[in-house]
Amino acid sequence: MDGFQTVLKFFMHRKTAIGYSFMALLTMGGERVFSLVAFRCPCSNENFRYGLVFLFSPAFVLLVIGYFLNSRTWKLFTGCWVNPRKIFPKGNICHFFYVLIQITLNALIAPVMWLSVALLNGTFYECAMSGLKNPAYLHAICHSKSATCFEELHKVACDKSSMPFSESDELKRTLQAQSQILGWCVIMTTALLSLLATCCASCQSKVSHLQLMFWRVYTEKEKEQLEEVFQVYASKLSERNLKCFFENKEPEEFPMPAFQAWEDASQLYSFSSSKQHYSTIHRLIEEGRKEIKGERDTMLDFVDGSEIP
């Protein structure tokens, strides 16, 4: 039993890394399925558009899904049409764009994985670039090749060109090499930018590493217990209403947060270095439903989605 608890604790502490690994496996599997089942390079003048659609369209869909699945997206935009001050409090435009950038960076993880895997595989890029009719590109790719290369480059991806096999195979390998180089460039650039962003966020942190660790544990527990409380109170309220309906009784008073309390609790949290509040609900409980006038720093919305190293 102790061994099971140890394994469970290990996976709980590594759930972000496990989640990203699972996402990477799904991306590789999805790209492979697309390549084998859905993708059929037309080997015509449509190669360029066809290849780019298969390369970038799934990435765009994954980006949109990333926005949809991020709870902070809905915290930020819910009710903003009715009350624009929710996203621009006191006219603070930086607050909105800072949170939006955080949401976008999280949503970009899956698209970048897709582009990396697709470029490393090379199938989509090979089809797309074999249909590019740019004169400078054609002269570069067909250098020291037969004249047929300029006319039949789009057929290379399907092995239907009349060029000698050695030239056709060399062109395919060149296109695949270009694709893989771009893929590794995407991976290295993403890794470097992620490292720099993490280092910058850590350097600007106004709290210690231990307090950040405690913050993460607190927010995870609060989120878990909040969902449980939702279930309990929703069950009690529905049970009271149904009982009053069928028994034809007057309903008893049921304590519920006021409308403004729901609004206040749904706001994105802004960390104040002068007070140890670890969430919006914590702030509301400690100070009541009053507007916070304390200092705000770059830790904004940290606990809603970022991981603590």
Side-chain angles (χ1 to χ4, degrees), residues 81-146:
W81 186 268
V82 178
N83 183 15
R85 290 178 62 85
K86 292 184 67 174
I87 58 175
F88 298 121
K90 294 184 179 180
N92 186 359
I93 300 178
C94 296
H95 168 89
F96 167 75
F97 285 107
Y98 180 79
V99 178
L100 184 61
I101 288 172
Q102 284 189 322
I103 295 171
T104 301
L105 290 177
N106 285 333
L108 280 172
I109 294 174
V112 169
M113 284 185 178
W114 168 270
L115 287 176
S116 302
V117 172
L119 287 171
L120 288 177
N121 186 30
T123 305
F124 304 145
Y125 179 92
E126 178 187 344
C127 178
M129 298 308 291
S130 65
L132 183 62
K133 296 302 181 182
N134 182 276
Y137 177 77
L138 287 175
H139 278 88
I141 198 73
C142 293
H143 179 68
S144 72
K145 303 291 188 301
S146 60

Side-chain angles (χ1 to χ4, degrees), residues 8-301:
L8 181 61
K9 184 179 292 186
F10 172 81
F11 281 109
M12 288 298 294
H13 288 168
R14 300 290 184 272
K15 61 181 180 182
T16 301
I18 294 172
Y20 286 153
S21 301
F22 183 67
M23 186 186 301
L25 290 175
L26 284 180
T27 303
M28 289 188 288
E31 192 277 337
R32 195 60 183 167
V33 170
F34 262 63
S35 300
L36 296 176
V37 178
F39 185 77
R40 294 290 184 273
C41 188
C43 296
S44 66
N45 293 329
E46 297 297 320
N47 278 21
F48 184 69
R49 286 186 286 270
Y50 187 83
L52 289 185
V53 165
F54 269 81
L55 185 61
F56 290 106
S57 292
F60 177 76
V61 172
L62 289 172
L63 177 64
V64 174
I65 293 175
Y67 278 115
F68 266 107
L69 297 181
N70 195 323
S71 62
R72 292 180 296 165
T73 304
W74 308 116
K75 280 188 177 182
L76 184 63
F77 288 105
T78 299
C80 65
W81 186 268
V82 178
N83 183 15
R85 290 178 62 85
K86 292 184 67 174
I87 58 175
F88 298 121
K90 294 184 179 180
N92 186 359
I93 300 178
C94 296
H95 168 89
F96 167 75
F97 285 107
Y98 180 79
V99 178
L100 184 61
I101 288 172
Q102 284 189 322
I103 295 171
T104 301
L105 290 177
N106 285 333
L108 280 172
I109 294 174
V112 169
M113 284 185 178
W114 168 270
L115 287 176
S116 302
V117 172
L119 287 171
L120 288 177
N121 186 30
T123 305
F124 304 145
Y125 179 92
E126 178 187 344
C127 178
M129 298 308 291
S130 65
L132 183 62
K133 296 302 181 182
N134 182 276
Y137 177 77
L138 287 175
H139 278 88
I141 198 73
C142 293
H143 179 68
S144 72
K145 303 291 188 301
S146 60
T148 315
C149 175
F150 292 89
E151 302 296 331
E152 297 188 359
L153 181 61
H154 60 273
K155 296 182 180 180
V156 167
C158 303
D159 296 323
K160 294 182 178 179
S161 67
S162 59
M163 288 183 288
F165 175 77
S166 58
E167 288 190 4
S168 177
D169 185 62
E170 182 181 348
L171 287 170
K172 290 187 67 174
R173 290 178 180 273
T174 299
L175 292 173
Q176 290 177 356
Q178 292 176 356
S179 179
Q180 291 175 347
I181 290 172
L182 283 176
W184 279 113
C185 287
V186 170
I187 293 173
M188 290 188 296
T189 302
T190 303
L192 180 60
L193 291 177
S194 299
L195 177 62
L196 291 176
T198 303
C199 290
C200 288
S202 298
C203 290
Q204 295 177 3
S205 174
K206 295 185 178 181
V207 295
S208 67
H209 180 69
L210 288 177
Q211 190 173 7
L212 292 179
M213 292 178 63
F214 174 80
W215 194 352
R216 178 181 63 180
V217 174
Y218 173 85
T219 52
E220 289 177 353
K221 294 298 182 182
E222 184 184 80
K223 183 179 179 180
E224 293 174 2
Q225 293 175 12
L226 183 63
E227 293 175 355
E228 294 175 0
V229 170
F230 278 172
Q231 294 288 337
V232 171
Y233 272 77
S235 299
K236 289 181 178 179
L237 182 59
S238 62
E239 181 181 356
R240 187 207 69 165
N241 292 339
L242 290 173
K243 186 175 181 179
C244 291
F245 175 76
F246 282 104
E247 297 180 2
N248 210 12
K249 293 181 178 179
E250 289 294 325
E252 299 176 359
E253 185 177 354
F254 192 87
M256 287 285 288
F259 177 80
Q260 188 58 45
W262 287 107
E263 287 288 316
D264 294 340
S266 299
Q267 294 177 6
L268 289 170
Y269 179 59
S270 300
F271 179 77
S272 174
S273 58
S274 61
K275 299 170 184 176
Q276 294 194 45
H277 298 154
Y278 296 106
S279 69
T280 304
I281 292 179
H282 187 190
R283 183 197 66 185
L284 292 174
I285 297 304
E286 293 287 346
E287 297 193 351
R289 298 171 194 116
K290 299 178 182 179
E291 187 176 5
I292 294 293
K293 297 182 179 179
E295 174 188 359
R296 289 186 176 185
D297 62 15
T298 53
M299 299 294 294
L300 177 67
D301 197 27

